[in-house]
Amino acid sequence: MSNIVGIEYNRVTNTTSTDFPGFQKDEGAVWDVENFKNSFDVKINSMDEREACFDLVHIDTSVANAFRRIMISEVPSVAPEYVYFFNNTSVIQDEVLAHRIGLTPLKVDPDMLSWVDTNLPEAEKFTDENTIVLTLNVKCTRNPDAPKDCTDPKVLYRNAHIYARDLKFEPQGKQLTTFAKNPVVPADPDILLAKLRPGQEISLRAHCVLGIGSDHAKFSPVSTASYRLMPHINITQPISGESAKKFANCFSPGVIGINDAGEAFVADARHDTVSREVLRHEEFEDKVKLGRVRDHFIFNVESTGAMTPEEIFFKSVRILKNKAEYLKNCPISQ
């Protein structure tokens, strides 16, 4: 039970950590890579283009949290950084529209671009190797074919609503071939950028570059990356009959089941929210113990659409590996 963080009615117990990852009481403090290889496990529960849920089992908190932080703030992605306005007669100010465009996720592989050299002069800074160019040229006009009794602006006017899909990719130089099969498009084409009325127009050019989330949130490839510890429910005494039904209702649906004999059992602890509702009832006080498994992390990664969650996690592993290699090879300062 030393691996279980205890959840009691009014406190959390067994939370003390050590200076040695994976160290437990009465065990050796030496970390062994072979033992880690044999015990570490990855379990994928669900995965699609936008969201992934997976478990990292038998890993230290420091490493699990490193993956979370890297996915949020250090995995690079491409986003609009410079917006040049030629004309904007809409009611949205230039800086507000530029901010909305900057937060529009783009579906582009960051490995296809290099980093911008900020030390170069403005005229030499942007090239076809480090910059994606998007343009927006729209003008709102009246629809001559609109019904007389119509009040819907989308029918009355043309280009009344400007969406992310109206951003057009303009390949530069060798981008004509490198992006021929995968042109740059917004990950969510229906993001509303602005509303126009007849006579209003927007003309601009956006330069999109590589960046990381620690510089600005628009470069973060995830909309959320979080983890929680696996819940642990230990039924110490049999609970049956009406008490079993009451016991099951204290947890989220699917956590507690009732067998043919009418006794409660733990069906799926991972869906438990550890609300401690069961601890409010005196009849269950000595019949159940709640906790969380210290080294079992349930990750939930939701992508903004630029990359799949699988790619984001793999890139975080690569970044952490590079950090470790750098630290390992870094000369010790005297």
Side-chain angles (χ1 to χ4, degrees), residues 68-230:
R68 181 190 67 86
R69 292 174 64 92
I70 290 172
M71 284 189 283
I72 293 173
S73 62
E74 295 189 54
V75 173
S77 69
V78 180
E81 176 72 356
Y82 303 92
V83 181
Y84 304 93
F85 283 87
F86 305 119
N87 193 11
N88 178 20
T89 57
S90 69
V91 296
I92 301 180
Q93 299 94 331
D94 291 355
E95 59 270 24
V96 176
L97 181 55
H99 184 68
R100 293 178 69 88
I101 293 173
L103 290 174
T104 302
L106 301 176
K107 199 171 185 62
V108 53
D109 184 1
D111 292 336
M112 299 182 71
L113 294 182
S114 59
W115 292 88
V116 174
D117 188 350
T118 56
N119 296 320
L120 293 175
E122 191 75 15
E124 303 175 10
K125 187 181 296 184
F126 307 110
T127 68
D128 58 353
E129 295 181 350
N130 60 29
T131 305
I132 297 292
V133 177
L134 299 178
T135 60
L136 179 63
N137 294 289
V138 290
K139 183 176 182 179
C140 182
T141 58
R142 295 185 181 276
N143 180 11
D145 299 325
K148 293 183 178 180
D149 56 345
C150 179
T151 58
D152 186 357
K154 293 183 180 180
V155 179
L156 286 173
Y157 316 123
R158 293 171 177 170
N159 293 326
H161 291 187
I162 308 305
Y163 296 95
R165 59 174 174 265
D166 295 313
L167 292 167
K168 304 302 181 184
F169 170 49
E170 286 194 358
Q172 308 292 315
K174 63 181 181 181
Q175 293 178 358
L176 287 167
T177 55
T178 55
F179 289 94
K181 294 183 179 180
N182 297 296
V184 179
V185 294
D188 296 294
D190 295 329
I191 295 176
L192 181 65
L193 298 179
K195 292 183 180 181
L196 302 181
R197 290 300 178 263
Q200 297 179 347
E201 62 179 301
I202 297 173
S203 179
L204 58 84
R205 182 184 180 96
H207 286 182
C208 312
V209 299
L210 277 176
I212 55 177
S214 59
D215 291 334
H216 196 286
K218 66 184 177 184
F219 290 116
S220 181
V222 298
S223 51
T224 179
S226 62
Y227 64 75
R228 60 188 177 96
L229 294 178
M230 170 67 83

Side-chain angles (χ1 to χ4, degrees), residues 1 3-7 45 53 55-56 227-235 251-252 254-256 266-276 288-299:
M1 297 299 292
N3 199 35
I4 304 298
V5 177
I7 307 294
N45 301 297
C53 182
D55 296 4
L56 297 184
Y227 64 75
R228 60 188 177 96
L229 294 178
M230 170 67 83
H232 182 268
I233 304 170
N234 182 22
I235 300 177
F251 297 87
S252 301
V255 175
I256 301 297
V266 180
D268 191 354
R270 71 179 299 111
H271 293 300
D272 184 30
T273 59
V274 195
S275 65
R276 311 189 200 189
V288 62
K289 289 185 178 181
L290 303 181
R292 289 183 182 270
V293 183
R294 188 191 298 274
D295 61 353
H296 189 146
F297 299 88
I298 303 173
F299 270 82

